[in-house]
Amino acid sequence: ESAASSAARMQEKQYTPSLLSFFIYNPTFGPREGEEEKKILFYHPSDVEKNEKIRNVGLCEAIVQFTRTFCPTKPAKSLHTQKNRQFFFEPEDNFWIVMVVRNPMIEKPNKDGKPPTVEYQEEEILDTVYGAVVKQCYSMYKLFNGTFGRAVEAGGVEMLIQKLEKFFYRYLQTLHLQSCDLLDVFGGISFFPLDKMTYLKIQSFVNRVEESLSLIKYTAFLYNDQLIWSGLEQDDMRILYKYLTTSLFPRHSEPELAGRDSPLRPEVAGNLLHYGRFLTGPTNLKDPEAKFRFPKIFVSAEDGYEELHLIVYKAMSAAACFMINASVELTREFCEQLDGLVGPQLTLLASDICEQFTINRRISGPEKEPQFKFIYFNHMNLAEKSTIHMRKTASVCLTSVHPDLMKILGDINCDFSRVDEDEEIIVKAMTDYWVVGKKSDQRELYVILNQKNANLIEVNEEVKRLCATQFNNIFFLD
């Protein structure tokens, strides 16, 4: 290859998908001509000229109406154009959320000082992934504010507009569209693997605390950002889990004292170690100015929803979430009582779990780099496990595989979602990679194998072996 052509290639610029706009509207709020602006409840970026906002909302309305004529029950979910892709979601009657994502693109320089040529990559974005992101936006809003309808009932459209502004202005900054992938489609929960004894200790801790502090209505218990116990409904826990692991915990991953997580054995019985602190509410109980205000969350109940205070309390790597009816006023006395009761117990539990975990790891033998990486998801309990993601928080998504392979995983998942039957798909990807997807009885497993010169039969055998060792008795395909 000549020096000139490699120099030209060097100047190529790759751009990842990015958020162009995000808006929420309700066509019934401005039905008459000249009132179109009343339909728009939220629009990002806010500095867009009024007529352009109205035009974009009108276009979405037209697309939704037009597609309804073909399929009245299932309106449009997305619209593909050369430069971008639009996603539509109607979470409540007549309330529409629209997200417009710019397609990834490559900028190629031109000779003679002409402006660069832009090539849009129209097939790179997966509808399932970004469709799931829009739904997550709504679920997260609803977790902290309740439904759109509730705001309108309580304080009219003005109140809803205020709530949307306040929430989405901050939330959209945390949306990192370039790192969204299959895990966003699942929205699963990573569970912490525990032996029965330690699990029972945690269960009895939860029971003791709920008994002593009868105000507590629900409890959730996490260790190392993984869930161990939850008293909430699954869908509520799923979105709360996302908030805790991508937003609250990363904000507080303060310098945990070095060696704090080593198993602790206080010499004297009276010397109860206490490393507990509040992650929501008062930062320091000793502060006379301390505020006892906690975030409120909305979870589903028999008659719609209930509003709760969310207390998140942490000792070392263990975190307990206590939820209390929002009509109760939480006082300094209550927080001191909770701190005195929970602090020492949670500290002890954290060191127990840590000890148990270290023992189990030693038994299972040294970790040698396996030939494969996998993502597993179970639709029944939302359990998710990935050895592909080293870290996935809101802003960082470190995957240890090439983006093209992640896209193949997404494509296989799309195929799976079209059929109800169990199935298996094997793909030979670029270079030496094989990608295998298995779907069986509400569970999905995606494996990436890196084996030179392997053939289909060998790959199949390898995946069977993996299922036998990692997931014995889960897949009944053969």
Side-chain angles (χ1 to χ4, degrees):
E1 149 180 282
S2 70
S5 70
S6 71
R9 271 233 330 278
M10 291 289 288
Q11 317 279 275
E12 274 190 12
K13 272 197 184 144
Q14 281 267 5
Y15 292 94
T16 51
S18 60
L19 182 67
L20 281 179
S21 59
F22 184 100
F23 47 92
I24 299 172
Y25 68 90
N26 185 325
T28 63
F29 289 176
R32 283 195 290 285
E33 195 140 337
E35 291 187 345
E36 289 86 357
E37 202 184 356
K38 291 184 177 166
K39 299 174 185 177
I40 306 172
L41 303 168
F42 175 80
Y43 201 104
H44 163 89
S46 53
D47 53 9
V48 172
E49 204 259 320
K50 178 179 116 176
N51 285 332
E52 192 188 332
K53 289 182 185 174
I54 291 175
R55 205 169 49 241
N56 288 339
V57 167
L59 182 65
C60 293
E61 278 188 80
I63 291 164
V64 167
Q65 278 310 339
F66 174 65
T67 52
R68 275 227 164 105
T69 53
F70 300 105
C71 185
T73 50
K74 281 193 189 155
K77 287 200 177 89
S78 74
L79 170 72
H80 300 205
T81 64
Q82 180 197 5
K83 295 183 181 175
N84 60 39
R85 203 168 282 194
Q86 305 197 9
F87 298 93
F88 314 101
F89 176 47
E90 184 184 22
E92 302 172 32
D93 279 354
N94 293 314
F95 285 99
W96 286 88
I97 302 181
V98 180
M99 178 170 83
V100 185
V101 178
R102 193 196 60 204
N103 282 326
M105 56 185 195
I106 301 172
E107 227 176 50
K108 298 183 172 171
N110 278 322
K111 296 196 201 67
D112 323 325
K114 286 197 196 114
T117 319
V118 174
E119 269 183 25
Y120 288 94
Q121 298 170 289
E122 295 175 49
E123 292 311 313
E124 286 307 298
I125 290 183
L126 286 171
D127 279 358
T128 43
V129 171
Y130 291 94
V133 170
V134 179
K135 290 183 175 151
Q136 264 169 21
C137 290
Y138 173 71
S139 302
M140 197 64 85
Y141 169 87
K142 197 172 81 166
L143 178 68
F144 290 105
N145 299 284
T147 60
F148 295 163
R150 174 186 172 272
V152 175
E153 275 165 34
V157 179
E158 282 64 45
M159 186 171 187
L160 175 60
I161 290 174
Q162 276 170 7
K163 279 182 179 293
L164 294 173
E165 278 293 335
K166 192 176 158 198
F167 177 82
F168 282 108
Y169 172 71
R170 276 182 44 196
Y171 187 71
L172 292 179
Q173 294 172 17
T174 68
L175 233 45
H176 293 269
L177 295 183
Q178 69 282 3
S179 55
C180 296
D181 60 30
L182 188 56
L183 290 194
D184 292 284
V185 177
F186 293 147
I189 294 172
S190 174
F191 287 91
F192 188 79
L194 262 194
D195 59 297
K196 286 197 177 67
M197 256 332 283
T198 320
Y199 183 75
L200 288 172
K201 280 184 187 168
I202 289 166
Q203 212 175 347
S204 85
F205 159 80
V206 170
N207 293 340
R208 277 199 309 274
V209 176
E210 288 186 350
E211 213 165 289
S212 316
L213 303 167
S214 53
L215 283 179
I216 296 174
K217 196 156 181 194
Y218 306 106
T219 305
F221 191 105
L222 297 90
Y223 185 85
N224 255 354
D225 290 9
Q226 293 175 297
L227 186 66
I228 293 178
W229 165 270
S230 159
L232 283 177
E233 287 286 323
Q234 228 169 19
D235 275 342
D236 294 324
M237 190 59 230
R238 162 192 247 169
I239 196 73
L240 178 60
Y241 178 81
K242 184 172 168 62
Y243 164 69
L244 295 171
T245 53
T246 60
S247 178
L248 185 68
F249 294 161
R251 277 210 306 275
H252 288 272
S253 59
E254 74 299 83
E256 287 277 51
L257 289 183
R260 229 196 213 185
D261 254 17
S262 52
L264 309 161
R265 283 283 166 265
E267 292 313 308
V268 207
N271 168 19
L272 271 181
L273 282 166
H274 177 333
Y275 287 130
R277 58 205 168 79
F278 288 91
L279 290 197
T280 57
T283 32
N284 179 2
L285 276 179
K286 306 218 171 15
D287 177 4
E289 301 291 296
K291 298 266 190 292
F292 297 91
R293 278 206 307 272
F294 291 88
K296 299 219 182 22
I297 60 169
F298 291 81
V299 302
S300 47
E302 281 86 63
D303 51 348
Y305 59 86
E306 51 185 332
E307 192 178 351
L308 306 163
H309 294 287
L310 173 65
I311 301 178
V312 183
Y313 189 90
K314 196 167 182 207
M316 293 151 40
S317 293
C321 307
F322 302 112
M323 285 148 270
I324 292 172
N325 202 318
S327 55
V328 177
E329 198 186 329
L330 297 180
T331 59
R332 174 185 287 277
E333 291 70 49
F334 176 79
C335 292
E336 283 171 351
Q337 194 187 351
L338 184 140
D339 181 66
L341 175 77
V342 175
Q345 292 190 42
L346 194 57
T347 304
L348 207 57
L349 258 181
S351 53
D352 273 354
I353 298 172
C354 177
E355 208 172 342
Q356 207 36 59
F357 185 57
T358 325
I359 293 169
N360 290 350
R361 249 204 323 224
R362 278 206 297 275
I363 297 169
S364 62
E367 295 267 307
K368 55 176 197 303
E369 181 58 26
Q371 290 280 300
F372 52 78
K373 298 195 160 81
F374 66 85
I375 292 180
Y376 164 75
F377 179 67
N378 178 341
H379 289 270
M380 288 176 285
N381 62 358
L382 306 182
E384 173 181 283
K385 188 173 179 184
S386 167
T387 60
I388 287 173
H389 296 78
M390 279 102 63
R391 258 209 6 268
K392 184 151 169 78
T393 64
S395 53
V396 216
C397 173
L398 291 176
T399 50
S400 50
V401 303
H402 193 281
D404 289 356
L405 290 171
M406 288 309 292
K407 173 142 192 308
I408 294 176
L409 295 184
D411 287 334
I412 296 178
N413 168 260
C414 290
D415 284 343
F416 283 169
S417 59
R418 288 196 193 100
V419 289
D420 290 335
E421 291 79 51
D422 292 351
E423 84 175 288
E424 180 167 36
I425 295 177
I426 301 182
V427 180
K428 172 91 167 78
M430 43 176 204
T431 56
D432 297 316
Y433 286 99
W434 289 84
V435 182
V436 181
K438 262 173 173 305
K439 173 184 171 194
S440 163
D441 188 33
Q442 302 269 340
R443 300 174 176 95
E444 296 178 32
L445 172 67
Y446 301 84
V447 186
I448 296 177
L449 296 154
N450 179 10
Q451 285 186 330
K452 279 194 167 56
N453 318 328
N455 62 30
L456 197 60
I457 296 166
E458 290 161 351
V459 168
N460 209 9
E461 285 306 313
E462 188 64 36
V463 173
K464 270 189 195 159
R465 261 205 302 284
L466 162 69
C467 289
T469 54
Q470 293 273 343
F471 305 99
N472 43 356
N473 75 28
I474 285 184
F475 288 98
F476 313 107
L477 283 182
D478 320 309

